[in-house]
Amino acid sequence: MTAIIDGKAISQKIKDELKEEVARKKAQGRSATLAVIQVGNDPASTVYVGNKKKACAYIGIESESFELPEETTQDELLEVIDRLNDDPGITGILVQLPVPAHIDEDTIIRRISPLKDVDGFHPMSVGALCIGEKGFVSCTPAGIMKLLEYSGIDVSGKECVVIGRSNIVGKPMSLLLLRANGTVTICHSKTKNLKEVASRADILVVAIGRPRMINEEYVKDGAVVIDVGIHRMEDGKLCGDVDFDRVKDKCSAITPVPGGVGPMTIAMLMYNVVSAM
Ligand code: NDP
């Protein structure tokens, strides 16, 4: 029987554990405030920002919103970040991405203090992960490690294949699997014989941004399949990068879309915010 990994339930469990930890830390006189910056009013970003603020309220930490108009210049945004970096009352800073095209995303990411970089995107956070030092870890891959842990899936010694090498998912994912002693292969758009490489995996993580591309031909019998992709189809339904119906009977465990990796991202953002408390 294939196990369907329930990201909704696991993320709820993590948020409940964090709620208790926040109460304990507050009792010791510690506090946390997450600054959430949104530039412009992209509807999807507004939903994400709203969900992040709701999650803060749920676990008992403060959030402060900075809703800046679309025409905000890069310098103006950098000034806001500088102010928040210097504000001892702010423990985490998040700039909702994407930012409008006239603002350079990398410049913004680099300006956030690594001590407050709860998204884990700053090069120093990524570097710390690379050399196994303490630091904030990108939320989606960190969430996947929690999904594996809470599902009792041991990574050590396993063949792990990650399809996708983006800075926010594929690369940190590969480093985390390596840190957990997996034998890791990273695939991308230039990989030859992708089916053959993917079907070596005991644990296959798919983050390619192509709806239902990965079918049973890419999957070994009994593999664990983690689907990071999320796509809204024409019929309004969500699907992942994995063709769930074709793959599910072949693997031992799989994350659904929605309800798999997605809910973990905000839970791990909260985890990062609380760890900075
Ligand atoms: P990117 O577009 O930044 O990266 C995609 C990666 O997939 C690239 O490394 C690319 O290779 C590779 N790729 C693309 N096509 C192929 C192919 N045909 N064969 C092999 N590799 C391929 O995407 P992200 O990492 O940001 O996101 C991936 C997916 O995950 C998206 O669907 C996104 O929406 C979703 N996502 C979900 C999150 C969640 O919370 N659930 C959070 C973040 C992302 P190359 O480098 O060679 O171009």
Side-chain angles (χ1 to χ4, degrees), residues 5-15 139-148 150 255 259-271:
I5 299 176
D6 187 345
K8 240 175 130 179
I10 296 173
S11 69
Q12 186 59 45
K13 219 166 160 183
I14 289 173
K15 281 189 279 183
C139 302
T140 301
I144 292 170
M145 295 308 287
K146 286 280 180 199
L147 283 180
L148 295 172
Y150 278 68
T255 58
V261 172
M264 296 302 291
T265 301
I266 288 189
M268 295 316 288
L269 173 68
M270 295 302 112
Y271 179 93

Side-chain angles (χ1 to χ4, degrees), residues 146-247:
K146 286 280 180 199
L147 283 180
L148 295 172
E149 182 192 323
Y150 278 68
S151 306
I153 297 162
D154 186 17
V155 175
S156 183
K158 300 272 168 64
E159 286 284 345
C160 304
V161 175
V162 178
I163 315 183
R165 56 174 165 181
S166 70
N167 288 340
I168 62 166
V169 186
K171 282 184 197 143
M173 186 72 246
S174 309
L175 290 166
L176 286 169
L177 291 165
L178 182 63
R179 191 156 91 177
N181 298 319
T183 301
V184 183
T185 305
I186 309 171
C187 301
H188 45 78
S189 65
K190 307 291 184 294
T191 297
K192 296 212 164 59
N193 306 322
L194 184 63
K195 283 183 186 169
E196 191 196 300
V197 179
S199 52
R200 280 189 226 141
D202 301 312
I203 299 173
L204 179 64
V205 181
V206 187
I208 47 182
R210 297 187 183 269
R212 298 193 186 111
M213 183 181 130
I214 300 303
N215 59 35
E216 72 285 2
E217 293 169 16
Y218 294 77
V219 176
K220 177 167 90 172
D221 270 323
V224 172
V225 177
I226 305 290
D227 187 357
V228 186
I230 181 145
H231 310 275
R232 171 95 43 202
M233 304 308 276
E234 273 177 5
D235 61 4
K237 290 194 178 141
L238 293 174
C239 79
D241 290 343
V242 174
D243 191 330
F244 184 87
D245 291 333
R246 286 177 63 176
V247 166

Side-chain angles (χ1 to χ4, degrees), residues 10-23:
I10 296 173
S11 69
Q12 186 59 45
K13 219 166 160 183
I14 289 173
K15 281 189 279 183
D16 287 337
E17 286 167 7
L18 289 172
K19 195 174 181 170
E20 286 175 18
E21 193 178 337
V22 168

Side-chain angles (χ1 to χ4, degrees), residues 43-84:
S45 290
T46 304
V47 171
Y48 291 136
V49 163
N51 288 340
K52 289 169 187 177
K53 289 194 294 199
K54 256 192 243 162
C56 286
Y58 182 79
I59 66 165
I61 59 173
E62 305 296 322
S63 63
E64 251 183 63
S65 292
F66 296 82
E67 285 154 20
L68 308 179
E70 179 85 23
E71 57 277 10
T72 302
T73 65
Q74 178 164 307
D75 283 345
E76 285 166 341
L77 177 55
L78 291 173
E79 263 174 45
V80 173
I81 294 172
D82 287 344
R83 217 166 357 99
L84 296 169

